[in-house]
Amino acid sequence: MSDEKPVRHLLGLSGGKDSAALAIYMRDKVPEMEYFFADTGAELPETLEFVDLMADYLGKEIIRLNAGRDFDYYLKLHSNYLPSAQQRWCTINLKLKPFEQFVGEDTVISYVGIRADEPQREGYISTKPNIKTCFPFKDDGLVKADILRILDESGLGLPKYYEWRSRSGCYFCFYQRKIEWVGLYENHPEKFEMAKQFEKYDEKSGKRYTWSQGESLDELIARKDEIKARSALNNKVTKPKNLMDVALKDSEDDDDDSCLICML
Ligand code: SF4
């Protein structure tokens, strides 16, 4: 009998719609799939609730990575310097490294939910030779409308944060649009306050460290009516009928350079 370990099949859930739809899509195709969720310790309650619903639906445990080492732990290690699009230590420490540790030296196929209508997107491809990445939606030609249909037909629908935010990830994520910060303020005021506490002003250098480019969260919220008015105008949406309607119309989230690993 061979001592060789069987190939592991892994699918990471981010709490976002694409990885959730992929898990549903692959459930019966790869019964031995292992599901995991890299919890940053700064997730929205809606995300955690959705991951629990997914576990029920899949009938399998969703393994939580990062036990004991959350965002705060790494923030201290980085001398309280906030992560940013240029310094994305959060993704490396809270998403990439835990994934590679979880894989170890095993031979793995990693399933990633990039769609066929996202040619510009690239998923995280590990440089480790024992990890092979595959893209079932791309390979099978599935686009955004298919993903929404899969979620709808499963009965799971979209995570509730879609009412005000178009992506999963940390509540303070620097990739949030201004209107999403307003959404955080209105839906989770306590988390908005917590995000504010991270912002800093360095008296010596005169430099400000803010989550949103060019302004502090206090300044952003002071002009929330203007931000809301502009967003409504841009989207030309009066009142979407339901969450699927929001997701279908909201294409902006697919065109930015936000964190694929956190938000796919
Ligand atoms: S969601 Fe945003 S803040 Fe959180 S780990 Fe990803 S990039 Fe960093």
Side-chain angles (χ1 to χ4, degrees), residues 77-90:
L77 271 192
H78 287 82
S79 313
N80 289 324
Y81 271 92
L82 295 182
S84 64
Q86 294 73 37
Q87 298 285 330
R88 235 165 71 186
W89 56 255
C90 49

Side-chain angles (χ1 to χ4, degrees), residues 65-80:
L65 309 184
N66 285 330
R69 295 205 162 172
D70 59 7
F71 181 84
D72 289 344
Y73 172 87
Y74 288 106
L75 183 64
K76 279 193 196 100
L77 271 192
H78 287 82
S79 313
N80 289 324

Side-chain angles (χ1 to χ4, degrees), residues 12-28:
L13 290 156
S14 69
K17 67 180 186 321
D18 294 323
S19 60
L22 185 63
I24 297 165
Y25 187 65
M26 297 306 297
R27 186 181 70 166
D28 299 328

Side-chain angles (χ1 to χ4, degrees), residues 1 39 45 59-60 62 67 70 91 97 101 103 111 133 141 150 152 156 167 209 227 232 234 264:
M1 228 166 82
D39 187 341
K60 271 198 177 176
I62 296 174
D70 59 7
T91 310
K97 285 187 180 168
Q101 272 163 18
V103 167
Y111 295 79
T133 308
I150 290 170
D152 203 23
L156 283 165
R167 64 197 80 208
Y209 296 92
I227 293 169
N234 283 347
L264 203 64

